[in-house]
Amino acid sequence: MKKVIFFGCLWCLTFLVQTSFGQDSLLLYLKFDRDLTDLSPNGFDGSPLIPLDYPSGYCDEAIKIGDNTTDGITINGEVFDRLRDFTISVRVRIDDLNSNNTLISCSNLQVADELVLSYNAVDDDLDDGVHLIIRDDRHIFQRDFILGDMQWHHVAVTRQEDIATLYIDGNQIGDPLTVSDRVLAVAFNGFIIGQDQDCLTGCFEPDQSWAGDVDELQVFSKALSRAEILQLDCLRSSTNDIGLPFSYNLQPNPFTAQFSALLPPLAEVSYELWSAQGQLIEQGQLRGSSQQQISVGEQPAGIYYLRLTDRKSQKTATHKMVKLNN
């Protein structure tokens, strides 16, 4: 199977289902497109510890956290302060495996590890996989080595009261964990991306930085469902992706094994179905006047992109398709 990996995109559009979540629960949204501007309504812009590099990311640019104690971003701790339920959604790629690859660290004057999200795959003293620390209490999700493959992945962690759930690339990893349901207490300057705070705003240790790239960070003030998490993605497009010159219908979406394409008479369309990781899954031709099935039942659940091209005008349209478990 031919594989094409996208190391960037010309423009990206994030889908937020406003009827169920979005502006009412979105606390922070950093795209890292050569700046640290918060695109939520709250204005929680980040500040770099030192000037950062902005390499090509999952969608446009990302930030790079080196294997050091200097790279990182500070963000207003009010994002997590007084928060109980939350969702953290982020695109990540690891360059080097550390004893503890720390993605998010939140602290206050009394507790250094008020909230920590990290990954471990090399330290024999810690179980491999994603770690969530709340109030100095470490919780380890089901053992996995997914993030250690040095590829882009979508990580989402939710807490609803005392239940924490981990999703990687749209799939739940293991069983939910029972955690503290305490309201978080984070100092104004106690939210840092990329370093592990052993004291408020500092005391960083070697081999505990993220050591990789970070893109599309979003924080919500509620625990999103898996269906909602699957909608959190940037849509890859191209300069001529302005829509087809006729009406058509794709259904159902989300789907399980297959979905239908209904085109008008005389329409001729080529299609490509891509995975969120940039793998070409299927391609073919569609003709109008009849409902045609596109079947991908053997593929895993997750996010896919359907690129349609009108063979006459060469205009294109891209659609996000969400596949559920069969």
Side-chain angles (χ1 to χ4, degrees):
M1 178 66 67
K2 179 181 178 181
K3 293 185 179 180
V4 178
I5 303 298
F6 291 98
F7 291 98
C9 56
L10 296 176
W11 60 266
C12 298
L13 174 66
T14 295
F15 282 83
L16 297 179
V17 182
Q18 302 294 339
T19 57
S20 58
F21 70 99
Q23 298 299 327
D24 59 337
S25 61
L26 180 64
L27 295 174
L28 175 73
Y29 181 19
L30 299 179
K31 286 185 63 66
F32 302 120
D33 290 345
R34 299 209 169 269
D35 62 36
L36 303 177
T37 301
D38 176 22
L39 299 181
S40 83
N42 303 308
F44 291 132
D45 297 347
S47 298
L49 299 180
I50 64 170
L52 294 171
D53 291 333
Y54 292 89
S56 295
Y58 176 81
C59 188
D60 287 340
E61 287 80 32
I63 58 165
K64 181 171 287 295
I65 304 295
D67 189 2
N68 54 47
T69 59
T70 55
D71 291 343
I73 298 171
T74 61
I75 301 174
N76 190 329
E78 290 184 19
V79 173
F80 285 105
D81 192 41
R82 300 184 300 276
L83 202 60
R84 176 178 284 111
D85 294 355
F86 61 79
T87 296
I88 301 170
S89 171
V90 63
R91 303 282 167 170
V92 295
R93 187 181 68 82
I94 292 177
D95 290 330
D96 299 295
L97 293 174
N98 282 335
S99 62
N100 207 31
N101 291 82
T102 303
L103 180 62
I104 288 176
S105 172
C106 294
S107 298
N108 58 55
L109 283 172
Q110 289 74 40
V111 182
D113 292 339
E114 179 70 7
L115 174 68
V116 177
L117 180 62
S118 63
Y119 178 76
N120 180 77
V122 297
D123 194 331
D124 293 337
D125 295 329
L126 297 173
D127 289 341
D128 298 317
V130 175
H131 295 215
L132 179 67
I133 302 177
I134 298 179
R135 190 69 177 186
D136 276 336
D137 190 6
R138 183 183 297 271
H139 305 276
I140 304 172
F141 291 98
Q142 176 177 294
R143 187 182 190 191
D144 74 82
F145 298 95
I146 299 173
L147 302 187
D149 66 0
M150 314 301 179
Q151 302 298 317
W152 280 104
H153 293 284
H154 181 201
V155 175
V157 174
T158 69
R159 181 177 76 161
Q160 185 169 18
E161 297 182 351
D162 63 345
I163 299 298
T165 307
L166 168 67
Y167 302 88
I168 298 180
D169 297 330
N171 299 310
Q172 182 175 320
I173 305 300
D175 296 326
L177 302 179
T178 300
V179 300
S180 169
D181 65 352
R182 61 167 282 120
V183 173
L184 297 173
V186 181
F188 174 79
N189 54 349
F191 176 12
I192 291 182
I193 297 173
Q195 299 288 343
D196 183 17
Q197 300 175 83
D198 288 336
C199 63
L200 181 61
T201 73
C203 303
F204 306 143
E205 293 287 339
D207 296 327
Q208 293 186 1
S209 71
W210 174 248
D213 299 339
V214 184
D215 202 359
E216 295 286 315
L217 173 63
Q218 298 176 76
V219 178
F220 297 85
S221 62
K222 62 175 287 187
L224 300 184
S225 67
R226 179 174 179 268
E228 292 170 326
I229 288 170
L230 285 170
Q231 296 293 326
L232 298 176
D233 197 23
C234 71
L235 181 62
R236 295 169 175 80
S237 188
S238 62
T239 54
N240 66 334
D241 197 359
I242 58 176
L244 303 187
F246 46 76
S247 298
Y248 55 95
N249 184 263
L250 302 171
Q251 62 179 1
N253 189 21
F255 67 98
T256 52
Q258 62 185 17
F259 57 90
S260 299
L262 181 60
L263 305 175
L266 304 181
E268 295 185 11
V269 173
S270 60
Y271 74 89
E272 297 175 346
L273 187 68
W274 296 82
S275 73
Q277 289 73 42
Q279 179 183 2
L280 179 60
I281 302 299
E282 184 177 336
Q283 58 186 336
Q285 306 293 324
L286 300 172
R287 295 183 180 277
S289 74
S290 64
Q291 186 167 285
Q292 300 170 76
Q293 304 288 334
I294 299 177
S295 179
V296 287
E298 72 282 2
Q299 298 297 324
I303 297 169
Y304 294 84
Y305 294 97
L306 181 68
R307 172 67 55 78
L308 302 175
T309 302
D310 175 37
R311 299 186 65 183
K312 295 179 180 179
S313 68
Q314 292 301 303
K315 292 182 178 179
T316 68
T318 305
H319 297 271
K320 176 191 287 187
M321 310 298 294
V322 178
K323 185 182 186 300
L324 306 177
N325 287 320
N326 294 335

